[in-house]
Amino acid sequence: MGGLWQRWQPSHALVMIPLALILVITVIDILVPADVHLGPLLVVAPALTASFAGPRLTAFVGALAIGAQMFIGIHFGVLNTRNVMVQVFALTLLSALIVFICRVRERRRRELARVRSVAEAAQKALLRPLPHRIGPLRIASLYLAAEHEAEIGGDLYSATGTDGGVRMIIGDVRGHGLSAVSESALLLGAFRVVADQHSTLPALAVALDRSVSRYLADFIEAEDEIDEHFITALLLEIPSDGHTTRMTCCGHPPPLLLHEHHVRTLTSPHPAPPLGLAGLPAAQFPVDEFAFDAGDTLILYTDGVTEARDEGGVFYPFAQRVEQWTTSSPEKLLDHIHRDLLAHCRGHLSDDAAIIAIQRNTTPWPGGTDR
């Protein structure tokens, strides 16, 4: 009984409702004329309990309802009559059915919780949290999966320190959910291995493009489907000396630069195709340069952010909304965007969304990281 009482604790206030219904229906049925039968209404009690409690508590309330029905029959001395016996049997059968449905629901809820737990662990292994600091860079990241049950999808990002500074990648596998995880894992693994092995971003882009292309050739069975699999990506290089930052865009949405209360979209004049489609030499991958000064904030993101729609089908005006938070820290900035984005699309994203905010501080470059 002690274990059952512990189960009651989270919803003890709500339990009073079905218990009160049993008491009220029983009392009224006894007080009204004998030809008025309210006992069948007792089934409402276990049905109501199942909406907020587990099978044990539901069964307990169902047993109380059956006991109340039998008490009414005993009170009027008609318990052994066919009519009352049918009512008791029907109430017992319905209560048992409600408890069975409640057990099925609880089992599925536990299974979903296990799946979410495994997916969360896989997500953390795949998308390891970015360090909060790399040298003078202050970094915050946000990931929102379109499939809430999976908590994992096809957007990716990573950062690594090099001898000359920091290199970062943000990418978006075509599609979302578990089907995109393997391609996302492939690109992240390749980036972590070769990010510091190439002197230029175009050379790095070529290596990543070859890795993705080899994977697609080996694991996509239908050749006509290979063109349907690709990964948009943005490569970023922030040198430790000077404030000139370089990027190579492979079909990915352009980053936003927050500088002196203004928001600038850093569109590449000649972006390369997404990874897995290009097959280009290094000379054909562009390198765009821009100033990233102390106090500036750079926002990298995937198209799940800009393609989020409201009820009227209007896209999320990302750059316009960010203008009101240009003085915020990276953490606060992503917190504002997170709430505003979900409010815009009423909590339902049609695609995975990832956002990284990078702020350049005035402190010298120590070369370390801080998680």
Side-chain angles (χ1 to χ4, degrees):
M1 187 66 183
L4 181 60
W5 173 249
Q6 290 178 357
R7 290 179 177 271
W8 281 11
Q9 291 300 316
S11 54
H12 65 277
L14 292 176
V15 171
M16 297 305 298
I17 298 176
L19 295 181
L21 282 175
I22 293 175
L23 178 62
V24 170
I25 292 173
T26 301
V27 172
I28 294 178
D29 202 357
I30 291 175
L31 295 179
V32 297
D35 59 336
V36 177
H37 305 285
L38 300 180
L41 296 178
L42 289 168
V43 72
V44 174
L48 182 61
T49 305
S51 66
F52 61 82
R56 290 189 179 183
L57 185 55
T58 302
F60 176 75
V61 173
L64 288 181
I66 295 170
Q69 178 68 74
M70 296 178 66
F71 174 78
I72 293 173
I74 293 173
H75 175 78
F76 288 106
V78 293
L79 179 61
N80 294 326
T81 61
R82 179 182 300 177
N83 185 40
V84 175
M85 291 300 293
V86 168
Q87 292 181 18
V88 172
F89 175 77
L91 181 56
T92 302
L93 183 62
L94 289 174
S95 297
L97 180 61
I98 293 171
V99 171
F100 173 76
I101 294 174
C102 192
R103 287 180 61 88
V104 171
R105 183 196 64 195
E106 289 297 304
R107 184 170 64 250
R108 291 182 176 177
R109 181 179 297 173
R110 289 193 296 269
E111 291 174 354
L112 179 59
R114 287 194 293 269
V115 170
R116 290 175 65 92
S117 177
V118 172
E120 183 179 356
Q123 179 79 335
K124 290 180 178 178
L126 178 63
L127 278 183
R128 292 197 293 266
L130 295 178
H132 299 306
R133 284 184 179 274
I134 304 181
L137 301 182
R138 185 176 179 180
I139 304 172
S141 59
L142 172 66
Y143 188 94
L144 299 173
E147 296 184 1
H148 299 293
E149 294 81 4
E151 292 291 338
I152 192 169
D155 287 3
L156 58 101
Y157 49 75
S158 185
T160 184
T162 65
D163 292 338
V166 174
R167 281 183 173 174
M168 304 185 71
I169 185 174
I170 185 169
D172 184 1
V173 177
R174 183 180 185 274
H176 55 80
L178 296 176
S179 62
V181 172
S182 59
E183 294 170 37
S184 176
L186 164 81
L187 183 56
L188 280 175
F191 175 80
R192 288 164 181 163
V193 170
V194 303
D196 61 347
Q197 296 180 7
H198 298 275
S199 59
T200 65
L201 287 184
L204 175 59
V206 169
L208 297 177
D209 181 59
R210 288 175 178 172
S211 295
V212 174
S213 297
R214 283 197 299 267
Y215 171 85
L216 296 178
D218 291 340
F219 293 98
I220 303 301
E221 297 180 358
E223 292 186 4
D224 58 344
E225 293 183 1
I226 292 181
D227 291 342
E228 299 296 324
H229 292 260
F230 54 82
I231 306 175
T232 68
L234 182 76
L235 301 175
L236 193 68
E237 182 177 76
I238 306 176
S240 56
D241 53 341
H243 289 183
T244 298
T245 295
R246 292 178 283 273
M247 74 174 182
T248 292
C249 180
C250 302
H252 199 78
L256 301 180
L257 178 65
L258 281 58
H259 174 73
E260 295 182 350
H261 308 289
H262 296 287
V263 178
R264 174 187 168 197
T265 301
L266 302 174
T267 304
S268 175
H270 305 289
L275 301 179
L277 295 179
L280 301 176
Q284 297 188 35
F285 281 93
V287 176
D288 300 296
E289 297 184 346
F290 58 92
F292 184 32
D293 300 322
D296 290 353
T297 299
L298 191 63
I299 303 179
L300 313 181
Y301 58 95
T302 59
D303 60 10
V305 177
T306 53
E307 293 181 359
R309 299 172 183 259
D310 62 11
E311 291 181 334
V314 177
F315 290 115
Y316 181 64
F318 190 36
Q320 297 177 18
R321 297 295 180 89
V322 169
E323 286 183 348
Q324 58 188 315
W325 306 308
T326 55
T327 60
S328 299
S329 67
E331 295 81 7
K332 288 290 186 182
L333 177 61
L334 291 194
D335 184 56
H336 289 311
I337 295 173
H338 185 187
R339 290 181 295 179
D340 192 57
L341 176 62
L342 292 183
H344 179 82
C345 63
R346 298 300 180 93
H348 178 71
L349 290 170
S350 59
D351 195 6
D352 306 320
I355 312 174
I356 303 173
I358 312 160
Q359 187 176 77
R360 186 161 198 153
N361 296 330
T362 57
T363 55
W365 189 280
T369 63
D370 175 19
R371 291 185 182 275

